[in-house]
Amino acid sequence: MEEVEKVRRRTNEVGPIGARVAENVRRLRANRGLSTTQISRLLGEVGRPIQPTGITKIEKQERKVDADDLIALAVVLGVNPNALLLPPVADMTEVEVTAAGVFPAEKVWNWVDGREPLKAAFDEDDLADFQIHARPKGRRRYYLPGERSEEELAKKRAADREIARRMNPGDPEGEAASLAVFRRLDREAWAEGE
């Protein structure tokens, strides 16, 4: 049996996301009309100094950007970290994601925004699991059982009732049907007897 030799990446080599960061730093710096010296000064002011030559090396993919550098660059460039990690489009443009493969930019943006898992196809359970673990409480549609207080559950029921009422003005049957959907989607908030 023939042994398959694994292709090994040099540890200092910039990967596909690192290459995207380099492109975006260069693009955003140019769009803002900033020199590498000016970016360097701004980074120093926020406590994450990188020499102008370091900025040039980042843009030429000769220097990796660690997580703290990424955040500092996003701060001084006035963008969120995702704007450095991903292409400036959210369409069907193909994007290589380290360790995951190639996906449309729109799907990758949805993933990094915490909206959906990075899978070609997923169901409601996959979505719930992803959001529970990828987003903080209050920033997601799903919750772990017991995670919300009685007060939060009561507010959720009141909000659902108001939505159902507004969706079905003067239609008690439609309102009841809407509430049935809300009960199915959030069984904890609508525990039996609510």
Side-chain angles (χ1 to χ4, degrees):
M1 186 181 274
E2 192 176 308
E3 237 180 271
V4 178
E5 187 178 321
K6 289 184 180 180
V7 176
R8 295 183 186 245
R9 188 173 61 84
R10 291 183 9 226
T11 57
N12 63 347
E13 186 178 301
V14 173
I17 299 297
R20 180 75 61 197
V21 169
E23 291 169 20
N24 287 329
V25 168
R26 182 176 43 254
R27 176 181 57 80
L28 289 165
R29 181 181 63 74
N31 288 349
R32 300 264 192 233
L34 297 168
S35 68
T36 57
T37 302
Q38 290 169 311
I39 290 288
S40 176
R41 181 182 49 75
L42 292 169
L43 287 166
E45 289 173 6
V46 298
R48 192 71 184 179
I50 299 176
Q51 294 298 316
T53 56
I55 303 298
T56 300
K57 286 181 179 182
I58 288 169
E59 292 180 359
K60 289 182 175 182
Q61 301 179 33
E62 296 170 359
R63 179 187 189 275
K64 285 185 173 184
V65 174
D66 69 19
D68 294 308
D69 291 341
L70 181 84
I71 297 299
L73 284 162
V75 167
V76 301
L77 289 167
V79 297
N80 66 353
N82 293 345
L84 294 178
L85 294 167
L86 300 177
V89 296
D91 57 17
M92 298 308 289
T93 301
E94 291 192 340
V95 177
E96 184 177 356
V97 178
T98 304
V102 176
F103 297 89
E106 179 180 30
K107 182 155 204 56
V108 179
W109 270 103
N110 285 340
W111 173 61
V112 300
D113 284 344
R115 294 181 183 177
E116 65 183 51
L118 189 62
K119 291 178 156 183
F122 58 88
D123 61 20
E124 192 74 16
D125 289 338
D126 294 327
L127 179 60
D129 182 71
F130 174 75
Q131 284 205 348
I132 285 169
H133 296 95
R135 297 183 70 105
K137 180 181 167 187
R139 300 286 305 215
R140 55 181 142 94
R141 200 169 114 193
Y142 302 94
Y143 297 91
L144 293 169
E147 186 175 46
R148 294 176 287 177
S149 68
E150 282 304 316
E151 182 182 335
E152 289 171 311
L153 294 172
K155 283 181 180 178
K156 174 69 165 91
R157 288 189 298 272
D160 286 351
R161 284 186 186 103
E162 180 63 17
I163 292 168
R165 185 185 64 75
R166 288 183 181 192
M167 286 173 56
N168 304 283
D171 180 6
E173 288 179 18
E175 189 173 330
S178 294
L179 283 174
V181 171
F182 291 140
R183 284 184 176 95
R184 185 176 51 80
L185 292 173
D186 194 344
R187 289 185 175 95
E188 183 182 30
W190 291 96
E192 208 169 310
E194 294 297 335

